[in-house]
PDB file of all heavy atoms in Angstrom:
ATOM      1  N   VAL E  12       8.799  11.556 -17.341  1.00  0.00           N
ATOM      2  CA  VAL E  12       9.349  10.797 -18.475  1.00  0.00           C
ATOM      3  C   VAL E  12      10.828  10.994 -18.478  1.00  0.00           C
ATOM      4  O   VAL E  12      11.310  12.153 -18.511  1.00  0.00           O
ATOM      5  CB  VAL E  12       8.725  11.251 -19.804  1.00  0.00           C
ATOM      6  CG1 VAL E  12       9.357  10.428 -20.937  1.00  0.00           C
ATOM      7  CG2 VAL E  12       7.188  11.095 -19.823  1.00  0.00           C
ATOM      8  N   LYS E  13      11.556   9.908 -18.455  1.00  0.00           N
ATOM      9  CA  LYS E  13      13.014   9.940 -18.441  1.00  0.00           C
ATOM     10  C   LYS E  13      13.579   8.976 -19.504  1.00  0.00           C
ATOM     11  O   LYS E  13      12.840   8.127 -20.018  1.00  0.00           O
ATOM     12  CB  LYS E  13      13.552   9.549 -17.029  1.00  0.00           C
ATOM     13  CG  LYS E  13      13.144  10.534 -15.965  1.00  0.00           C
ATOM     14  CD  LYS E  13      13.863  11.883 -16.129  1.00  0.00           C
ATOM     15  CE  LYS E  13      13.475  12.819 -15.002  1.00  0.00           C
ATOM     16  NZ  LYS E  13      14.179  14.141 -15.161  1.00  0.00           N
ATOM     17  N   ARG E  14      14.865   9.108 -19.712  1.00  0.00           N
ATOM     18  CA  ARG E  14      15.521   8.243 -20.734  1.00  0.00           C
ATOM     19  C   ARG E  14      16.343   7.158 -20.029  1.00  0.00           C
ATOM     20  O   ARG E  14      16.837   7.349 -18.883  1.00  0.00           O
ATOM     21  CB  ARG E  14      16.414   9.106 -21.625  1.00  0.00           C
ATOM     22  CG  ARG E  14      15.607  10.062 -22.492  1.00  0.00           C
ATOM     23  CD  ARG E  14      16.392  10.469 -23.734  1.00  0.00           C
ATOM     24  NE  ARG E  14      15.563  11.332 -24.547  1.00  0.00           N
ATOM     25  CZ  ARG E  14      14.704  10.847 -25.449  1.00  0.00           C
ATOM     26  NH1 ARG E  14      14.527   9.541 -25.614  1.00  0.00           N
ATOM     27  NH2 ARG E  14      13.976  11.646 -26.203  1.00  0.00           N
ATOM     28  N   THR E  15      16.514   6.077 -20.722  1.00  0.00           N
ATOM     29  CA  THR E  15      17.362   5.003 -20.225  1.00  0.00           C
ATOM     30  C   THR E  15      18.727   5.450 -19.851  1.00  0.00           C
ATOM     31  O   THR E  15      19.353   6.248 -20.590  1.00  0.00           O
ATOM     32  CB  THR E  15      17.506   3.882 -21.327  1.00  0.00           C
ATOM     33  OG1 THR E  15      16.202   3.468 -21.726  1.00  0.00           O
ATOM     34  CG2 THR E  15      18.269   2.680 -20.834  1.00  0.00           C
ATOM     35  N   GLY E  16      19.208   5.035 -18.659  1.00  0.00           N
ATOM     36  CA  GLY E  16      20.516   5.409 -18.223  1.00  0.00           C
ATOM     37  C   GLY E  16      20.568   6.692 -17.361  1.00  0.00           C
ATOM     38  O   GLY E  16      21.591   6.913 -16.694  1.00  0.00           O
ATOM     39  N   GLU E  17      19.497   7.441 -17.346  1.00  0.00           N
ATOM     40  CA  GLU E  17      19.433   8.627 -16.485  1.00  0.00           C
ATOM     41  C   GLU E  17      19.369   8.254 -15.030  1.00  0.00           C
ATOM     42  O   GLU E  17      18.836   7.227 -14.654  1.00  0.00           O
ATOM     43  CB  GLU E  17      18.246   9.521 -16.890  1.00  0.00           C
ATOM     44  CG  GLU E  17      18.423  10.351 -18.114  1.00  0.00           C
ATOM     45  CD  GLU E  17      17.306  11.422 -18.208  1.00  0.00           C
ATOM     46  OE1 GLU E  17      17.312  12.362 -17.420  1.00  0.00           O
ATOM     47  OE2 GLU E  17      16.457  11.221 -19.125  1.00  0.00           O
ATOM     48  N   LYS E  18      19.831   9.190 -14.195  1.00  0.00           N
ATOM     49  CA  LYS E  18      19.616   9.052 -12.726  1.00  0.00           C
ATOM     50  C   LYS E  18      18.343   9.793 -12.395  1.00  0.00           C
ATOM     51  O   LYS E  18      18.239  10.979 -12.734  1.00  0.00           O
ATOM     52  CB  LYS E  18      20.829   9.617 -11.980  1.00  0.00           C
ATOM     53  CG  LYS E  18      20.846   9.303 -10.465  1.00  0.00           C
ATOM     54  CD  LYS E  18      22.142   9.684  -9.871  1.00  0.00           C
ATOM     55  CE  LYS E  18      22.205   9.249  -8.397  1.00  0.00           C
ATOM     56  NZ  LYS E  18      23.537   9.510  -7.763  1.00  0.00           N
ATOM     57  N   VAL E  19      17.405   9.111 -11.737  1.00  0.00           N
ATOM     58  CA  VAL E  19      16.103   9.680 -11.544  1.00  0.00           C
ATOM     59  C   VAL E  19      15.838   9.803 -10.028  1.00  0.00           C
ATOM     60  O   VAL E  19      16.126   8.863  -9.264  1.00  0.00           O
ATOM     61  CB  VAL E  19      14.996   8.825 -12.182  1.00  0.00           C
ATOM     62  CG1 VAL E  19      13.618   9.441 -11.960  1.00  0.00           C
ATOM     63  CG2 VAL E  19      15.261   8.618 -13.687  1.00  0.00           C
ATOM     64  N   PHE E  20      15.283  10.932  -9.650  1.00  0.00           N
ATOM     65  CA  PHE E  20      14.945  11.173  -8.246  1.00  0.00           C
ATOM     66  C   PHE E  20      13.451  11.347  -8.133  1.00  0.00           C
ATOM     67  O   PHE E  20      12.853  12.173  -8.788  1.00  0.00           O
ATOM     68  CB  PHE E  20      15.649  12.455  -7.739  1.00  0.00           C
ATOM     69  CG  PHE E  20      17.135  12.344  -7.658  1.00  0.00           C
ATOM     70  CD1 PHE E  20      17.896  12.609  -8.774  1.00  0.00           C
ATOM     71  CD2 PHE E  20      17.752  11.991  -6.453  1.00  0.00           C
ATOM     72  CE1 PHE E  20      19.295  12.561  -8.718  1.00  0.00           C
ATOM     73  CE2 PHE E  20      19.151  11.948  -6.421  1.00  0.00           C
ATOM     74  CZ  PHE E  20      19.914  12.228  -7.542  1.00  0.00           C
TER      75      PHE E  20
END
Side-chain angles (χ1 to χ4, degrees):
Chain E
V12 179
K13 296 291 182 181
R14 295 203 175 276
T15 304
E17 280 192 72
K18 191 169 186 176
V19 181
F20 293 85

